[in-house]
Amino acid sequence: MVRRANPAIQALKEETYIMSAVFDHGEFDHHEQIVFANDHQTGLKAIIGVHNSFLGPAAGGVRMAPYARMEDALTDVLRLSRGMSYKNALAGLPLGGGKTVLIGNPRTDKTPALMAALGRAIERLNGRYLAAEDVGMTLADMEQIATETSHVFGRDPKAGFGGEPSPMTALGVALSIRTCVRRVLGRDDLKGVRIGVQGAGAVGADLARQLGEAGAEVLVADVDPARAQAAASAAGGQVVGVGDILFADVDVLAPCALGAVLNDETIPALRTKIVCGAANNQLAEPRHGLALAQRGILYGPDYVVNAGGIINVAYEVSGTYDAAKVVEHVQRIPRTLEQIFEEAADEGLTPDVIADRMAQRLIGRS
Ligand code: NAI
């Protein structure tokens, strides 16, 4: 006799499996809500993470990437949305933290219908999650999403919105680099300071230009050689190979491309005194903050340094977008960074640990 699996037991097993995959996930960190959004007509597969809404609606970008495994997409959204809670809190914004990962290839899988389907999924959250642009998305995509929901920001400046957040991110990173240089090199200017910029995209290229204008000696690397060349020229600097930039002999390394660049392989070979850049989740694991400190390298915690973009978005959310007010707010990032460095030095802890602790207090988690 063939024994058939009891469908009810099978369903329970699957549910238990899925729940433990999410609730017991190493990065779960008590997320308030996780939505798996699916639309078979458009092929939408997205995960929206709402980490914490203690300070306000959860705000964070939509990232589109061709994740090889669903588990990778889940890990990414959990880490990124928690990072947004911390970032928004330390930037002094009335926003919680959230994030969306849209599974697919941004070069080949985007359609207006897919963006609209994501818009409907965001709308169903009724304003608990506010979307903005992140890696793999463009201003035009955000406008497509906005055809189905009003809970989307970083929209067209012609319509009175704040537009691309990346210039404000680049400004915040440049100001943070100055703070780190003052602390480590005891200098108020950047003349002749050697700075390596990994990634010459929206943020990295603008950052390189600002640093070049301030007199820094800028090295730029990008997997796209044309981008690297354009950014290096605008900065009056030079192009370096993508395999060399992390290990270049510089005063400051500014990762502006990928996460997890500070890891067991790279940290022992770094030749910089400071790491301060825009990329999210630069530390491969929390313990790498200590590994940097042990090598005498000052680390500007990524989510503190790169908050300029979300500050830009926050002024759109308030309905009173004002570019001058945004710049004023971004100029407060160095004060927070100095406070973090001071507390870290006083307590013998690393800046990333102090930043996390400050953020956890602000979102009611300690
Ligand atoms: P982007 O996609 O415009 O630029 C990334 C650049 O890195 C591209 O030019 C790409 O070719 C390059 N790249 C990729 N892999 C590389 C490698 N191995 N070596 C060298 N270059 C490589 O992204 P965007 O907007 O400039 O953001 C950069 C980083 O900053 C991302 O990690 C993003 O999450 C983070 N960030 C961006 C914000 C924004 O306002 N755009 C806000 C906060 C964080």
Side-chain angles (χ1 to χ4, degrees), residues 63 80 87 99 133-136 164-167 169-170 198-205 221-224 227 242 245 255-259 278-280 306-310:
R63 170 171 293 196
L80 290 164
K87 181 189 306 202
K99 198 87 180 184
E133 189 185 327
D134 193 38
V135 175
E164 284 281 353
S166 46
T169 305
Q198 183 195 38
V203 178
D222 197 293
V223 286
D224 180 337
R227 279 192 187 179
V242 286
I245 188 77
C256 296
L258 314 162
N280 283 310
N306 69 17
I310 196 69

Side-chain angles (χ1 to χ4, degrees), residues 6-363:
N6 179 330
I9 291 177
Q10 191 61 27
L12 191 64
K13 272 189 188 160
E14 276 172 23
E15 196 179 316
T16 309
Y17 170 74
I18 292 165
M19 282 172 61
S20 68
V22 177
F23 288 122
D24 298 338
H25 192 290
E27 304 287 347
F28 179 65
D29 193 43
H30 304 288
H31 266 69
E32 287 177 9
Q33 193 171 5
I34 298 166
V35 175
F36 293 83
N38 180 62
D39 180 75
H40 81 280
Q41 273 179 340
T42 58
L44 174 76
K45 280 196 169 37
I47 313 176
I48 305 173
V50 172
H51 175 254
N52 186 282
S53 56
F54 184 79
L55 293 172
V62 176
R63 170 171 293 196
M64 185 170 188
Y67 296 96
R69 300 179 312 160
M70 200 53 74
E71 200 185 318
D72 298 338
L74 179 63
T75 301
D76 221 19
V77 77
L78 293 174
R79 289 192 76 183
L80 290 164
S81 63
R82 180 190 51 211
M84 288 309 300
S85 289
Y86 288 10
K87 181 189 306 202
N88 294 341
L90 283 192
L93 298 172
L95 295 172
K99 198 87 180 184
T100 296
V101 296
L102 173 55
I103 299 159
N105 186 327
R107 290 184 208 275
T108 53
D109 295 341
K110 269 186 200 166
T111 60
L114 179 72
M115 294 302 150
L118 179 59
R120 288 192 293 279
I122 291 167
E123 180 62 21
R124 285 196 286 271
L125 280 165
N126 250 327
R128 277 181 59 71
Y129 166 69
L130 310 178
E133 189 185 327
D134 193 38
V135 175
M137 300 295 284
T138 65
L139 208 59
D141 299 330
M142 302 322 286
E143 290 302 319
Q144 293 284 355
I145 293 172
T147 58
E148 296 287 343
T149 180
S150 56
H151 306 302
V152 50
F153 299 90
R155 292 183 54 196
D156 201 334
K158 287 194 214 102
F161 293 100
E164 284 281 353
S166 46
M168 286 301 119
T169 305
L171 175 63
V173 178
L175 294 171
S176 300
I177 287 176
R178 284 180 181 274
T179 303
C180 295
V181 164
R182 199 172 305 122
R183 192 164 185 94
V184 175
L185 306 178
R187 301 183 40 174
D188 280 326
D189 66 272
L190 296 180
K191 286 197 185 73
V193 174
R194 280 170 65 81
I195 305 178
V197 180
Q198 183 195 38
V203 178
D206 199 20
L207 174 68
R209 181 191 52 77
Q210 290 184 42
L211 298 172
E213 282 171 5
E217 227 182 278
V218 183
L219 312 180
V220 186
D222 197 293
V223 286
D224 180 337
R227 279 192 187 179
Q229 190 53 61
S233 303
Q238 67 183 84
V239 174
V240 173
V242 286
D244 301 327
I245 188 77
L246 292 176
F247 315 113
D249 184 8
V250 290
D251 300 300
V252 184
L253 173 67
C256 296
L258 314 162
V261 290
L262 305 170
N263 54 49
D264 290 337
E265 277 76 52
T266 59
I267 291 172
L270 294 177
R271 289 161 78 202
T272 184
K273 302 178 184 77
I274 295 163
V275 177
C276 181
N280 283 310
N281 296 331
Q282 289 168 39
L283 301 174
E285 292 174 43
R287 66 188 171 85
H288 292 118
L290 182 58
L292 283 173
Q294 284 169 340
R295 285 222 44 218
I297 298 170
L298 182 68
Y299 173 60
D302 46 18
Y303 61 80
V304 180
V305 167
N306 69 17
I310 196 69
I311 292 171
N312 198 58
V313 167
Y315 278 80
E316 265 187 50
V317 175
S318 71
T320 53
Y321 186 78
D322 177 338
K325 285 201 179 128
V326 173
V327 170
E328 227 172 84
H329 200 132
V330 173
Q331 284 168 340
R332 288 185 229 153
I333 292 176
R335 226 180 300 157
T336 308
L337 204 52
E338 270 160 18
Q339 195 187 337
I340 290 167
F341 291 151
E342 281 302 309
E343 280 191 31
D346 286 352
E347 298 189 38
L349 293 169
T350 57
D352 51 297
V353 168
I354 295 292
D356 285 0
R357 192 178 71 186
M358 280 182 177
Q360 281 158 1
R361 282 184 187 149
L362 288 167
I363 66 172

